Amino acid sequence: EARTLLQVCAVLGFEFSLSELLGVQSRVQRKRTKVQNIHDVLQKACLERILMETFRGGRSSSEKGLATNIKMSKRQKLDNEETEERSYRFSHAIWRNCVLGTMLRERKRNLHRLIATIMEKSGFDDVVDIRSSMKLFGHLRESGQLMKATRIGYKIGKYLANDLLYRQSIDFCLEALEMWKDTSGTTKKTELVEGINLDLLNSITPEDLECFAKIHINIARYYSNLGDAVSGSTFYKKCEIILKMSSAANDLKDRTVFFTLYSGYFTVVQIGGAAVNADEKNF
């Protein structure tokens, strides 16, 4: 039981709260685990310097935390125990990695998917609490829900840019795109379009394609805002190639993405950030 609990802690992240742990553990275990037993395991882990308690205060319960908006059965509500909220973190990343190393890949994916589902139902995909939304992004990515992760990555990028954190926004958007560089799951060589599998581009929905395009356009804008018009023009061109190569582009309902793309690129050209040569006249 102690090992199973620490595995849930490790999947939750380097830092986690007791309410988050209770919300997930109540759905992992078939038979109910008393809060006191969980406290005992956490306390022992702290004594062994695997975990460190970083905060204590307020009141919490197993129906709070990640599970705020999830309905509970009458039995769950009767069994619910209220306890003091606490926050923990692993004393060192090595400890967390060791715990994760004891888990089968499928179990890790299932736990990440469960946590992501709970967080989505709690509204963390609206990107109001940036820290929680970044956690949700990570759980979606690790559970293999790449398109969902890309959509929230796009929202997080915009959130950071609204606070003029352009460099951080670029880094996060690039991390979202990086997920798609190896999605085939095979060693077979596949054709890539700006780092994205061509078969994938031809299989996604128009809405998904629009999300890809908007991420590239936003990266281009943020580079331009930082004074790097050359990098900005590069991502405008990447976006144009992706739209050209994907069959889903013909079914886009909102065509304003093309106007945004070309107007942004021509603005970069006008300020001298990109030179249009004879081979690029059809851009």
Side-chain angles (χ1 to χ4, degrees):
E1 182 182 325
R3 185 179 70 173
T4 301
L5 188 69
L6 284 176
Q7 287 176 344
V8 175
C9 295
V11 174
L12 275 168
F14 186 75
E15 299 179 355
F16 59 92
S17 68
L18 177 60
S19 58
E20 290 173 337
L21 177 59
L22 293 175
V24 176
Q25 185 69 5
S26 64
R27 288 159 178 80
V28 172
Q29 294 280 35
R30 292 184 178 180
K31 60 180 182 179
R32 180 173 171 272
T33 304
K34 287 186 175 294
V35 174
Q36 186 57 51
N37 293 344
I38 295 176
H39 269 304
D40 292 343
V41 172
L42 295 175
Q43 184 63 27
K44 185 177 180 181
C46 287
L47 290 174
E48 293 177 357
R49 298 292 190 270
I50 298 174
L51 297 177
M52 295 178 63
E53 185 177 321
T54 58
F55 172 81
R56 181 184 298 192
R59 307 300 294 176
S60 180
S61 67
S62 59
E63 68 173 303
K64 292 185 179 180
L66 295 179
T68 304
N69 295 331
I70 295 180
K71 293 183 179 179
M72 303 178 71
S73 67
K74 290 182 179 180
R75 182 180 182 85
Q76 284 177 307
K77 289 181 179 178
L78 289 173
D79 288 344
N80 187 56
E81 296 179 53
E82 191 176 75
T83 185
E84 186 178 40
E85 175 65 301
R86 301 182 184 191
S87 295
Y88 299 87
R89 69 176 177 86
F90 282 86
S91 59
H92 198 284
I94 293 177
W95 278 117
R96 179 171 179 252
N97 291 336
C98 286
V99 175
L100 290 173
T102 66
M103 302 175 66
L104 294 175
R105 179 181 298 181
E106 190 63 25
R107 172 166 165 75
K108 279 191 285 190
R109 285 172 68 95
N110 289 340
L111 275 175
H112 279 298
R113 184 178 292 271
L114 171 62
I115 296 168
T117 299
I118 295 173
M119 294 187 77
E120 284 179 300
K121 290 184 178 180
S122 296
F124 291 124
D125 55 343
D126 291 333
V127 192
V128 176
D129 177 1
I130 187 68
R131 183 171 176 271
S132 296
S133 296
M134 285 182 170
K135 278 190 171 185
L136 174 56
F137 171 83
H139 291 304
L140 288 170
R141 178 188 60 203
E142 296 302 321
S143 65
Q145 301 178 84
L146 300 189
M147 200 61 240
K148 280 189 174 183
T150 302
R151 289 186 178 281
I152 194 171
Y154 167 71
K155 293 179 182 179
I156 291 172
K158 287 186 65 177
Y159 183 99
L160 293 171
N162 287 339
D163 287 339
L164 304 182
L165 299 173
Y166 297 124
R167 174 55 61 183
Q168 292 86 340
S169 181
I170 289 171
D171 291 342
F172 202 89
C173 289
L174 290 175
E175 183 179 349
L177 294 177
E178 188 71 22
M179 298 185 299
W180 296 95
K181 288 203 170 180
D182 184 18
T183 58
S184 61
T186 66
T187 57
K188 181 181 177 181
K189 190 173 182 180
T190 56
E191 185 177 352
L192 299 179
V193 177
E194 300 305 330
I196 302 174
N197 189 301
L198 179 58
D199 292 336
L200 171 69
L201 280 180
N202 288 326
S203 65
I204 62 177
T205 66
E207 291 75 18
D208 294 340
L209 177 63
E210 183 180 0
C211 183
F212 274 119
K214 286 183 175 179
I215 288 180
H216 281 82
I217 290 171
N218 282 351
I219 293 175
R221 281 176 171 171
Y222 304 151
Y223 270 125
S224 298
N225 289 339
L226 290 171
D228 188 353
V230 174
S231 295
S233 67
T234 298
F235 274 89
Y236 280 127
K237 291 176 184 177
K238 285 175 179 285
C239 178
E240 195 252 358
I241 293 171
I242 289 172
L243 288 172
K244 272 188 175 181
M245 296 297 292
S246 176
S247 58
N250 297 326
D251 299 320
L252 282 172
K253 294 180 180 179
D254 185 359
R255 314 293 291 185
T256 56
V257 66
F258 291 98
F259 173 79
T260 307
L261 164 63
Y262 293 128
S263 62
Y265 179 74
F266 291 137
T267 299
V268 170
V269 171
Q270 287 178 337
I271 63 176
V276 181
N277 55 43
D279 296 330
E280 294 178 318
K281 287 183 178 179
N282 62 338
F283 185 90

